[in-house]
């Protein structure tokens, strides 16, 4: 199955390279194969290695090395990494496409929107009574088989968010 997906992906991407060219316009010749070699190889490696023995053993050995109770607050600060990068590049003298005022404006707008959507989704998922939903849908036969697993996973995440 993975090889079929990879083959179809390669055919669709390389199919653009052999399409007819318009004879009235002169465009610089670009080699699509060279440009798509790295992305195609990364996508192919990801498809071939997903659910492989290597991935499972790597996952198991890393959990044994780190431990299951590993916790960090680094993700609270990584959201500010793009902001720091932009302003450090300005201080270092790197030429940017936009002026520092436009950069600050775009950063502010994107961070506000991200916070609004994140808080809204957290509020929706933390106030959702998943167990009541499971009990209501299970006797009716509406609940498909993988849904209880998903709902119990979301319940665990809900308890982690509240703790």
């Amino acid at each position: 199955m993975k090889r079929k997906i990879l083959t179809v992906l390669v055919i669709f991407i390389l199919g653009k390279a052999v399409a007819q060219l318009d004879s009235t316009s002169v465009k610089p010749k670009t080699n699509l194969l060279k440009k798509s070699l790295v992305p195609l190889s990364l996508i192919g490696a990801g498809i071939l290695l997903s659910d492989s023995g290597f991935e499972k053993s790597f996952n198991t050995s890393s959990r044994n090395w780190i431990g299951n109770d590993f916790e960090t607050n680094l993700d609270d600060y990584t959201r500010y990494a793009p902001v720091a990068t932009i302003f450090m590049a300005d201080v270092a003298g790197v030429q940017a496409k936009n002026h520092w005022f436009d950069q600050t404006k775009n950063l502010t707008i994107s961070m506000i929107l991200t916070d609004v959507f994140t808080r809204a989704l957290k509020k929706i998922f933390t106030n959702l009574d998943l167990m009541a939903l499971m009990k209501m849908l299970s006797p009716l036969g509406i609940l498909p088989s993988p849904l209880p697993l998903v709902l119990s996973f979301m319940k665990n995440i809900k308890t982690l968010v509240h703790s």
Side-chain angles (χ1 to χ4, degrees), residues 1 4 10-11 13 29 32 34 43 48 52 58 72 74 85 88 93-94 111-113 116 123 132 142 155 158-159:
M1 181 66 182
K4 288 181 184 178
V10 169
I11 289 172
I13 290 178
K29 197 171 192 175
L32 184 63
K34 282 185 180 179
I43 291 170
L48 293 174
S52 67
F58 179 74
T72 182
L74 183 64
T85 305
M88 287 189 323
V94 177
M111 291 188 80
I112 288 172
L113 287 174
V116 166
K123 184 179 271 191
I142 299 172
K155 179 186 174 203
K158 182 178 174 181
T159 57

Side-chain angles (χ1 to χ4, degrees), residues 123-159:
K123 184 179 271 191
I124 289 170
F125 283 114
T126 54
N127 291 337
L128 188 63
D129 190 3
L130 299 173
M131 294 311 288
L133 180 66
M134 270 179 48
K135 288 178 184 174
M136 181 183 74
L137 294 178
S138 292
L140 299 175
I142 299 172
L143 199 60
S145 62
L147 195 56
L149 179 65
V150 172
L151 291 175
S152 65
F153 174 74
M154 290 174 64
K155 179 186 174 203
N156 290 338
I157 288 182
K158 182 178 174 181
T159 57

Side-chain angles (χ1 to χ4, degrees), residues 36-103:
S36 61
L37 186 65
V38 173
L40 276 176
S41 61
L42 290 174
I43 291 170
I47 290 172
L48 293 174
L49 289 177
S50 66
D51 292 334
S52 67
F54 169 74
E55 181 188 18
K56 291 176 183 174
S57 68
F58 179 74
N59 206 0
T60 304
S61 63
S62 62
R63 282 192 178 248
N64 290 337
W65 182 61
I66 295 172
N68 286 333
D69 58 345
F70 177 73
E71 187 177 318
T72 182
N73 293 330
L74 183 64
D75 59 337
D76 294 338
Y77 304 105
T78 54
R79 62 186 297 247
Y80 299 111
V83 178
T85 305
I86 287 175
F87 289 118
M88 287 189 323
D90 284 342
V91 169
V94 177
Q95 290 293 324
K97 179 180 173 184
N98 295 321
H99 189 264
W100 66 269
F101 180 79
D102 293 327
Q103 290 175 343

